[in-house]
Amino acid sequence: MKKFLSVGVMTVLLVAACYFSHKGIRLSEEVRIPGLLRILSPSHGLWQNYDDEYFTKSESISLSGPNSEIRVYFDDRKVPHIFADTDEDVLFAQGYIVASQRLWQMDFLSRVAEGTLSEVFGKPTLKNDLMMRKYGLKYGAEQAIKDWEKNDHRDKLYISYENGINAYINRVLNNTEELPYEFKLANYKPRLWNAYLTALVSKYMAFTLCRRHEDIAATNTRELLGDSLYQHLFLKKDQNQIPVIREHSGEAFQAKRSKPADAEYRGYLKEMTVLKQQDKGIGSNNWAISGSMSKTGSPILANDPHLGLSLPSIWFENHIHTPSMNAYGVTIPGIPGMPIGFNDDIAFGSTNVGQDVLDLFTINWTNKEEGKYKVNGQERTAEMYEEVIKIRNKPDLTYKQYITEYGPIMYESRSDGADLAVHWLAHLPLNPNEISVFFNILKCKDYDCYKRETGKFSAPAQNFIFASNNGDIGIRINGKLPIKYENEGRFVKNGNQIENKWSEFIPRTANPQTLNPSLGFVSSANQITIDSFGLNFNGGFENYRGRRINNLLEKSTKKLDHQDMMDFQQDAFSIKASEMLPVLLKNLKRDTLDAFQKELLTTLENWDYVYNAESQAPPLFESWSQLFQSFVWDEMHNDSISYMKPSIWRTLELIDLEPSHTLFDHLETEKIEDAIDNINLSFGQLTTAYRSKESKNWKERNRVSINHLLNIPGYSKYELDVNGCGDALNAVKGGFGPSWRMVVELGENPKAWAIYPGGQSGNPLSKYYDNMIDDWAKGEYYELSFKDEDYFKSNHLFSRTILPDNE
Amino acid sequence: MNKLFAILVFAILQWALSFLMGWFSILPAAIVVVLIFKLEGKSSWFIPFLGVFFGWGLWMLFLDYQSDFHLSHRLAMLVQQSGFFAYLIPLVLGGLVAALTGRLTCQIVRVAH
C-alpha cells in the first residue's frame, strides 16, 4: 500500500513538474513565469536562438517565389545589400530578409494595431487592446485592404514582398527551434503575412502620427472660460512662426468651406476619459540645401524622424539594387519599399504634417440597443457587430461596436450623455496605389517623378523633402488634406447634421509645395504648413525647431558640408528656453533672496540655453517653467476633467501685455496675484523643493531610455547620456528621439551618413540587437556602404544566395 | 564505471530523442536508462539527474562557446542575472524532472515485482 501511495505521489509530482516547466506559472494577473524548461532547454529553447554564428556563414538557399538568383551581402553592421534582376525578386528578398531579422516585431506591431495582444499575452495587455479597438485601427485596416485589393499592380509587387515574408515564416514554422525569441518566450507562433497585416502596420504609423485630438479638452476649456477668453488664450496666431512652405510654387488653390450653424457641441464632457494622446514635445526634422549653399556645389539633404524609440527599432536599414534601381535607406518592417533614403540621383525623406484629421461627433441615440440615432431629423441605423477580444487563458471579452455615418463610436458615455463617434482620415478609403508608393519612389530620378509617386500617399500626411543631383531641392506636403472651415475640429461637433462632417479634400495637384525657393534651402519640423491657402490647418504644431533650422540655415555665412548638417541634427539649443527664461529672470525680485536662492539664480543666469546632459541649469529651468505654468493656469487643472493649457509663447505674450489679467490670480488665495507674483511665488517654491534634494543634471531629469517592445528590462537601455530636449533640433525626450539620423551629400557618387538607436537584428541575444545605441548617443554616424556588387563580393560579413526553387 | 556509462547513454539518448520531443526527451531517456541498467535506490535518482547535468551542460557549453560566451550572458539578461543562471536554471530543473522520472520508474518496477 505504501509503495502504491509513493508511486501515486511521485506521479502527481512529475506531471505537475512537467506541466509547469512547459506551460509556466501565473503568479498574478500581471506576472507569469514562462515554462522554464520549454524556453531554456538546449534543444528547442532560447539556447538555439543565437544566430550570429549562423549569420557569419555564407550559404545558398532555394525558395519558391523568385524568378532568378538573388544575391544578398551583409556588411559589418548586418545591413543587407540586395542584388536582384527584377522588381518582384528584389521585393521578395526584402520581405524575406526583413522577416529573418524582425519577424516578431512585425507580428507584434500588427497585433498592437489590431488589438489582439491579449490573445497571446493574456490579460495584462487587455487595456491596450481595448484602446486600439476604440481607435478603430482594425476597422481602418479592413477598409484599406478593400481598396488595395482592387489594384492589379499590388498583385505583382506586393505579393512578391508578402511571399518573401511567408517563405521565412514557413521556414520557422517547420523548424520550431528557429522561432524568434519572443515567440518562444510567450509560447505562440507567427501568422502568415498578408496585405491586411501590412495595412495594420500602416495604421499603427497613422496612430503614432495623426491621432492627436484635443476636442474634448478644448470643449471643456471653452465651457469653463467662455468664448471670448478661450479665443483670447488659444486662437491667436504666433507671429514668430515660420511655415514649412514660404514660397508656394504649385497650383494656386483657395479652399472654402463655411461653418454650418450649430456645428459644435456646447457643454462639458466631464465623464469622457480621454484615450492616450499623441505625445507632445517631440517631432521630426528635415531640410535640404541647394548647391549654392554647400561646399561640394551639390545639394545636401538631412532627415531625422523622431518617433517612440524601441528595441527592436522601428527602422531596418537596407540597400536594394536591380538593373533599373539602386536605392539605400530604411524600411518599416512589414511595409515594402523605403520611406526615407536615397538613390543614384535623388535623396528623399519626410516629417509628419500634424494636421488635425480626427474629429469627434456626438451621437444622439433614439434607441441605442437597436443602433438607431438621428441625423438631419431622420432616424438612421448604425452598423453593429460584436467586437470580440480573445484573452489567453480567460473567457473572451465581447462588446457591441457601432459604426455610424461619422465613423465608429470611440467614446461611450458612462451615464445619459451622448456617445462620441470618430471621423478619422485613417478610417477612410485610401488611394489604391498607396501600398507601392515607398517602392516606386526608389526608381525616381527627378522631382516630377517623386512628386507624382508621393502624390499617391494618403495618410498620415507628410512633408516629403527632396534633393537631386541635377540641383533641385523641394518639399511637398503629400497626403489627403481635408477642406475645413477655420478651427474646424478643434471642438467636439454635433452629430445631428451630416453637413458638420468634412468630406472634401484639397485636389492633390494643389497640395502645398516649394521647388528651388530663393532662400536656397527647404525645411520642415512639424510646424504649420503654409500661412495662406485657406487650408485652415488646425494642428498641434510646434514652432521652435522649425525656427531654429531656419535661423541656422539663414544665418550661415559659410558654405556648408555634411559635418555641419550632422552638427545641426545634434543641436541642443532651445529657443523656448531662450525666450522664456529671460522673462522669468527679468521679473524676479532679487532683494529678498538668500544665498542658496542666489546660487540657483546664478546657475540659470549663466546658462546658454543648451540642453547638455551634464548641465544643471536645464532641469532647474524646466521645474521653474512647470511650476509657473501650474500656478498661472490653476483654473485649468482638474484631475477628473480634461482641460487644455495655453502655449508658452502665448503665456509670455500675456505676461508682457496683460500682466494683471484676472487669470494670473490664484484661486486658492485671497490676495489678487499678477503675473510677476506668479513668477516670484513659483521661484520660491522651486528653491524650497531644491533645498531638500541634491541638484540633478539634465540626464537625470530627462531619462532617455529605449525599451524592448515587451518592456523586458534586461533587453532595454536606460538612462542614456544624450544632449537635447523636446524643443531642440535634437529632440530627445524620455522614450522619444531621433529614430534615424541621415545626411546625404548628392553628387556624381552620392555619399551618405546615418545611424539609428538600435541594431539590425530583432533578436535580443544577437550582438547586432543594440550595437548602434552607444554611438547614436554619442552623436556619431556611420558612412553608408552605397557601392556596387563587385565591391560587396569581396567585402561582406556573410552572404545569402536565394535560388528559385523550380520544383 | 557502469554508472558513468549509464550517464553517457542517458545523455546521448536524450539528445537523439530531443529532435522529436524537445525537452521532454529527458523523460523517456530516464525511463530507458533505469530499465536497461536496472538502477535502484539513489542511483535511479542521481544518474538521470547527472545525465541532464552533463548532457545539457555540455550542449549549452558548446552553444555558448560558439558565441564567445555572449549567449549565456544575454540569456540571463531576461532575469537580469549573470550568465551562470542561464545554465543553472535548466540544469537544476531538468535534472530534477529526470531524477523524478528515474525514481518513479524504479518504484513502478518494484511494485510490479
Side-chain angles (χ1 to χ4, degrees):
Chain A
M1 187 60 197
K2 200 177 168 186
K3 283 180 186 170
F4 279 107
L5 193 64
S6 167
V7 167
V9 169
M10 286 178 77
T11 306
V12 170
L13 271 177
L14 182 62
V15 169
C18 287
Y19 181 82
F20 291 120
S21 297
H22 193 76
K23 291 278 184 186
I25 304 168
R26 178 174 295 283
L27 297 180
S28 68
E29 285 289 355
E30 301 292 321
V31 183
R32 182 183 179 87
I33 297 176
L36 291 173
L37 289 184
R38 180 177 53 73
I39 65 162
L40 287 174
S41 80
S43 61
H44 285 69
L46 299 173
W47 282 91
Q48 288 289 339
N49 280 64
Y50 181 73
D51 55 7
D52 288 349
E53 173 65 16
Y54 168 70
F55 281 113
T56 57
K57 293 169 187 159
S58 297
E59 67 170 29
S60 294
I61 41 177
S62 294
L63 297 169
S64 72
N67 298 311
S68 54
E69 182 186 283
I70 305 165
R71 284 91 52 208
V72 187
Y73 307 92
F74 289 79
D75 66 21
D76 57 357
R77 284 187 297 116
K78 218 178 179 179
V79 176
H81 302 264
I82 304 170
F83 292 83
D85 293 337
T86 63
D87 290 351
E88 284 85 354
D89 283 357
V90 92
L91 277 173
F92 178 91
Q94 191 188 39
Y96 185 84
I97 298 296
V98 170
S100 74
Q101 301 302 311
R102 300 290 186 85
L103 180 58
W104 177 76
Q105 178 190 16
M106 290 159 66
D107 184 85
F108 181 82
L109 293 183
S110 67
R111 285 184 180 279
V112 170
E114 193 182 27
T116 52
L117 287 176
S118 306
E119 195 176 317
V120 290
F121 297 109
K123 210 173 170 188
T125 50
L126 182 59
K127 212 170 158 186
N128 191 82
D129 283 347
L130 273 166
M131 179 181 75
M132 288 305 192
R133 299 283 178 112
K134 288 288 174 192
Y135 267 104
L137 297 183
K138 182 170 171 267
Y139 169 76
E142 285 161 0
Q143 299 303 307
I145 57 160
K146 279 181 196 165
D147 290 303
W148 290 356
E149 280 171 355
K150 288 178 199 159
N151 182 16
D152 288 343
H153 190 57
R154 186 201 75 87
D155 290 340
K156 278 193 286 177
L157 290 178
Y158 179 77
I159 288 175
S160 295
Y161 181 74
E162 181 182 293
N163 286 344
I165 296 172
N166 284 332
Y168 185 75
I169 293 177
N170 283 321
R171 176 187 169 126
V172 297
L173 289 177
N174 292 329
N175 303 285
T176 51
E177 70 276 10
E178 286 187 32
L179 265 177
Y181 183 105
E182 292 86 352
F183 285 114
K184 285 187 183 175
L185 196 64
N187 198 16
Y188 74 104
K189 288 181 178 166
R191 318 178 263 190
L192 284 178
W193 199 259
N194 54 38
Y196 169 64
L197 300 186
T198 289
L200 284 169
V201 176
S202 164
K203 296 298 162 192
Y204 173 81
M205 294 311 291
F207 171 78
T208 304
L209 297 170
C210 70
R211 75 174 192 274
R212 193 190 70 85
H213 63 284
E214 291 176 325
D215 314 28
I216 294 173
T219 302
N220 287 335
T221 309
R222 182 172 65 173
E223 202 59 25
L224 176 80
L225 302 174
D227 282 0
S228 167
L229 193 49
Y230 181 88
Q231 188 157 355
H232 192 61
L233 293 182
F234 294 96
L235 302 185
K236 300 279 180 198
K237 187 181 164 194
D238 181 1
Q239 298 302 323
N240 288 320
Q241 71 185 8
I242 302 171
V244 174
I245 306 295
R246 294 166 75 174
E247 300 169 24
H248 176 56
S249 60
E251 191 177 302
F253 179 75
Q254 193 60 37
K256 274 187 190 158
R257 171 165 152 80
S258 48
K259 184 178 175 180
D262 193 28
E264 288 158 0
Y265 174 81
R266 304 302 298 240
Y268 279 108
L269 289 155
K270 290 183 177 176
E271 51 178 42
M272 297 292 178
T273 308
V274 178
L275 293 174
K276 193 179 168 194
Q277 284 283 307
Q278 205 161 311
D279 296 278
K280 281 188 171 179
I282 54 154
S284 312
N285 311 311
N286 62 21
W287 62 87
I289 59 168
S290 67
S292 64
M293 288 180 73
S294 78
K295 263 185 195 165
T296 60
S298 293
I300 304 178
L301 181 143
N303 191 186
D304 51 323
H306 297 202
L307 295 166
L309 305 178
S310 65
L311 283 168
S313 162
I314 190 70
W315 302 112
F316 181 78
E317 197 176 330
N318 60 174
H319 171 201
I320 61 179
H321 183 282
T322 67
S324 62
M325 174 186 61
N326 185 25
Y328 194 118
V330 279
T331 182
I332 296 169
I335 300 178
M338 299 177 219
I340 304 174
F342 61 98
N343 63 23
D344 288 322
D345 302 292
I346 68 165
F348 51 90
S350 60
T351 64
N352 193 35
V353 168
Q355 191 194 13
D356 179 7
V357 290
L358 188 159
D359 289 352
L360 298 172
F361 289 81
T362 56
I363 297 296
N364 297 308
W365 300 108
T366 50
N367 184 339
K368 187 174 177 182
E369 202 49 41
E370 292 176 11
K372 308 274 189 201
Y373 63 104
K374 270 196 170 170
V375 178
N376 296 83
Q378 291 182 333
E379 199 166 67
R380 310 282 172 100
T381 307
E383 189 189 321
M384 292 184 290
Y385 59 89
E386 284 284 310
E387 190 78 273
V388 181
I389 302 182
K390 289 189 162 68
I391 309 166
R392 192 169 186 170
N393 300 324
K394 297 269 178 195
D396 295 350
L397 178 78
T398 57
Y399 64 92
K400 200 180 275 181
Q401 179 60 287
Y402 301 86
I403 310 290
T404 68
E405 288 202 35
Y406 300 97
I409 295 291
M410 185 162 161
Y411 288 97
E412 281 190 85
S413 168
R414 278 168 285 170
S415 58
D416 299 332
D419 291 347
L420 301 181
V422 58
H423 181 51
W424 187 18
L425 194 60
H427 291 157
L428 304 185
L430 303 177
N431 189 329
N433 294 311
E434 181 162 343
I435 201 164
S436 8
V437 166
F438 293 134
F439 181 73
N440 290 340
I441 57 173
L442 306 181
K443 292 179 160 187
C444 288
K445 294 178 187 301
D446 54 33
Y447 183 69
D448 285 342
C449 169
Y450 184 68
K451 181 177 140 185
R452 184 177 65 246
E453 293 302 332
T454 53
K456 296 169 188 166
F457 185 75
S458 299
Q462 299 287 296
N463 300 304
F464 281 94
I465 199 160
F466 170 90
S468 73
N469 271 341
N470 63 19
D472 287 337
I473 56 165
I475 195 163
R476 189 166 200 272
I477 285 62
N478 279 310
K480 282 181 128 179
L481 303 173
I483 298 175
K484 292 180 155 193
Y485 58 78
E486 195 172 0
N487 288 312
E488 180 167 10
R490 187 175 287 271
F491 307 103
V492 172
K493 292 198 268 183
N494 281 324
N496 59 355
Q497 51 185 3
I498 202 71
E499 296 77 22
N500 292 347
K501 180 174 90 167
W502 45 260
S503 54
E504 289 182 37
F505 299 91
I506 289 155
R508 289 305 185 94
T509 50
N511 276 22
Q513 63 172 326
T514 188
L515 180 66
N516 299 324
S518 57
L519 287 163
F521 68 87
V522 289
S523 73
S524 76
N526 319 106
Q527 76 268 44
I528 194 154
T529 301
I530 192 165
D531 271 339
S532 55
F533 228 63
L535 286 181
N536 296 318
F537 282 103
N538 165 30
F541 305 111
E542 285 276 343
N543 292 313
Y544 300 112
R545 282 176 299 106
R547 285 169 58 194
R548 181 66 176 162
I549 297 170
N550 276 275
N551 289 348
L552 287 170
L553 294 174
E554 270 177 302
K555 288 179 184 165
S556 174
T557 51
K558 58 165 192 167
K559 297 276 186 186
L560 302 167
D561 64 10
H562 67 270
Q563 187 57 52
D564 295 311
M565 303 291 117
M566 292 176 195
D567 292 343
F568 291 170
Q569 286 185 336
Q570 308 287 327
D571 180 68
F573 179 87
S574 165
I575 290 184
K576 185 174 90 176
S578 75
E579 289 178 349
M580 186 174 189
L581 186 57
V583 173
L584 298 180
L585 292 175
K586 188 181 84 181
N587 292 296
L588 189 67
K589 292 171 186 157
R590 291 151 196 254
D591 44 352
T592 56
L593 299 182
D594 62 24
F596 179 74
Q597 289 175 316
K598 282 179 182 163
E599 195 185 319
L600 292 184
L601 195 60
T602 307
T603 306
L604 287 168
E605 283 173 333
N606 292 336
W607 185 36
D608 56 3
Y609 315 116
V610 174
Y611 280 68
N612 277 327
E614 302 296 337
S615 174
Q616 293 196 341
L620 200 55
F621 165 70
E622 288 289 329
S623 298
W624 190 7
S625 165
Q626 281 176 11
L627 278 169
F628 173 69
Q629 288 175 76
S630 66
F631 272 51
V632 172
W633 306 124
D634 56 343
E635 293 86 351
M636 284 162 257
H637 177 78
N638 187 313
D639 288 336
S640 57
I641 306 175
S642 179
Y643 289 121
M644 290 174 77
K645 289 191 176 65
S647 50
I648 293 287
W649 69 265
R650 184 65 185 138
T651 308
L652 296 179
E653 243 179 23
L654 289 170
I655 295 171
D656 187 33
L657 301 172
E658 303 172 63
S660 301
H661 197 289
T662 50
L663 277 169
F664 286 117
D665 182 33
H666 272 219
L667 294 176
E668 292 167 0
T669 59
E670 283 185 15
K671 189 189 165 213
I672 296 174
E673 287 90 1
D674 60 13
I676 316 302
D677 291 329
N678 279 290
I679 291 171
N680 285 280
L681 284 167
S682 55
F683 187 75
Q685 190 154 329
L686 172 78
T687 51
T688 307
Y690 262 73
R691 273 181 221 279
S692 56
K693 64 181 182 186
E694 274 185 38
S695 290
K696 283 183 176 175
N697 54 25
W698 179 234
K699 71 177 176 190
E700 289 168 307
R701 168 76 180 263
N702 184 35
R703 292 176 187 272
V704 178
S705 54
I706 307 178
N707 283 347
H708 180 270
L709 288 169
L710 289 179
N711 290 322
I712 300 173
Y715 301 131
S716 303
K717 285 269 192 176
Y718 298 113
E719 298 184 22
L720 294 161
D721 205 349
V722 187
N723 300 334
C725 67
D727 312 301
L729 286 185
N730 195 18
V732 185
K733 185 181 175 188
F736 294 86
S739 57
W740 166 249
R741 290 186 183 122
M742 180 185 81
V743 175
V744 184
E745 206 168 62
L746 288 147
E748 199 175 333
N749 296 305
K751 284 184 171 180
W753 298 261
I755 193 165
Y756 70 85
Q760 287 287 91
S761 174
N763 178 4
L765 305 180
S766 168
K767 288 171 187 163
Y768 301 95
Y769 169 71
D770 55 7
N771 57 317
M772 295 191 272
I773 292 181
D774 291 341
D775 287 341
W776 172 86
K778 281 186 256 173
E780 291 177 5
Y781 292 72
Y782 304 119
E783 183 167 355
L784 306 182
S785 298
F786 189 53
K787 313 272 189 191
D788 58 19
E789 189 173 2
D790 285 341
Y791 171 84
F792 290 111
K793 275 180 183 167
S794 50
N795 293 281
H796 61 262
L797 189 65
F798 64 97
S799 69
R800 289 282 176 277
T801 304
I802 302 174
L803 300 167
D805 184 356
N806 296 323
E807 284 178 18
Chain B
M1 194 61 194
N2 193 37
K3 285 178 182 167
L4 279 180
F5 188 58
I7 290 171
L8 186 66
V9 169
F10 176 92
I12 293 169
L13 201 57
Q14 67 80 22
W15 174 77
L17 289 170
S18 72
F19 292 102
L20 299 171
M21 311 171 69
W23 75 266
F24 287 105
S25 63
I26 59 177
L27 277 80
I31 294 167
V32 170
V33 166
V34 167
L35 293 177
I36 291 176
F37 292 92
K38 297 188 172 62
L39 300 177
E40 285 192 356
K42 286 178 185 169
S43 298
S44 66
W45 175 274
F46 277 110
I47 284 174
F49 183 87
L50 292 173
V52 168
F53 226 85
F54 286 107
W56 278 13
L58 284 173
W59 196 350
M60 290 170 181
L61 205 62
F62 171 71
L63 293 168
D64 209 10
Y65 172 75
Q66 286 186 313
S67 72
D68 292 332
F69 301 97
H70 172 82
L71 176 55
S72 59
H73 166 72
R74 293 296 296 175
L75 268 176
M77 291 304 286
L78 179 63
V79 285
Q80 292 179 288
Q81 295 295 333
S82 72
F84 174 67
F85 275 79
Y87 286 90
L88 189 70
I89 295 168
L91 292 184
V92 169
L93 205 57
L96 286 174
V97 169
L100 203 58
T101 310
R103 188 72 187 139
L104 178 63
T105 309
C106 177
Q107 288 285 76
I108 291 170
V109 170
R110 268 198 214 163
V111 171
H113 286 168

